[in-house]
Each structure stands twice: as C-alpha cells, then as structure tokens.
Amino acid sequence: MKTNTLTTGFNPALLSSLVVTYVGAIYLLGIALLLNNDWRFNIAGVILTVHGLVLSAYLIHELLHDNIFKQRNLNRLFGKLFTHMNGACYAPYDD
C-alpha cells in the first residue's frame, strides 16, 4: 500500500533547510518590524515574532531527537540557536 504524504518526492534535506530558514527569517523580520515607529508595523512585528518563536519551539523538540538534519552537529547548532531564541536561561539545550 502506497502512502501519500505531503513530502513524497521531495528532498528531505531541502525541506529541513527551508523550514529552518523560514523560521529564522520570520523571527528576524518580526524583530525588525517591532523596531519601527508605526504601530501597524509593530502589530505585524508582534504576530511574526510570535509565529517564529512558536515554530522554533516545535523545532527544538525535533532537533533534540536529531530528526531535522542528518549531521548531528547541525541539529545541535540550530537547537542551541532556537533554544536561545526561546529563553535558554530557563532550560538550556543540553538538558
């Protein structure tokens, strides 16, 4: 029985890289919009920053299990980065 999934036929490494890039770009764009003086940009900045933080929190779990990249060092690098974004002082990545 053939399984139909959203990622069938796609390169998993490319998808992982796109997800990590998307989360980083959304987070940085959100922070940039928060620094603007216009309240409309601030609202968009809050929404994008929260969106980036929620996605990075989900990715931390997958990075801890080494499910995103084949190389363990890349999982560890981005896991530490995303954990820092979400408050590494409360729960470091290595715990």
Side-chain angles (χ1 to χ4, degrees):
M1 178 176 189
K2 186 176 179 181
T3 304
N4 286 330
T5 64
L6 184 62
T7 59
T8 301
F10 291 101
N11 182 354
L14 176 64
L15 290 176
S16 298
S17 299
L18 286 174
V19 168
V20 169
T21 303
Y22 174 77
V23 170
I26 289 298
Y27 177 75
L28 292 176
L29 179 62
I31 295 296
L33 290 174
L34 285 173
L35 298 175
N36 195 300
N37 290 331
D38 189 356
W39 64 271
R40 291 171 288 226
F41 288 117
N42 293 150
I43 291 173
V46 167
I47 292 168
L48 288 177
T49 303
V50 169
H51 179 63
L53 288 173
V54 169
L55 290 178
S56 68
Y58 283 124
L59 285 176
I60 290 170
H61 177 82
E62 298 304 321
L63 289 162
L64 279 167
H65 292 296
D66 295 330
N67 289 338
I68 302 295
F69 298 105
K70 286 184 180 180
Q71 296 91 358
R72 189 173 190 160
N73 60 343
L74 283 177
N75 286 305
R76 187 171 172 82
L77 172 75
F78 285 104
K80 286 187 174 201
L81 176 69
F82 289 156
T83 304
H84 180 72
M85 285 170 41
N86 282 286
C89 57
Y90 299 113
Y93 182 75
D94 294 331
D95 287 348

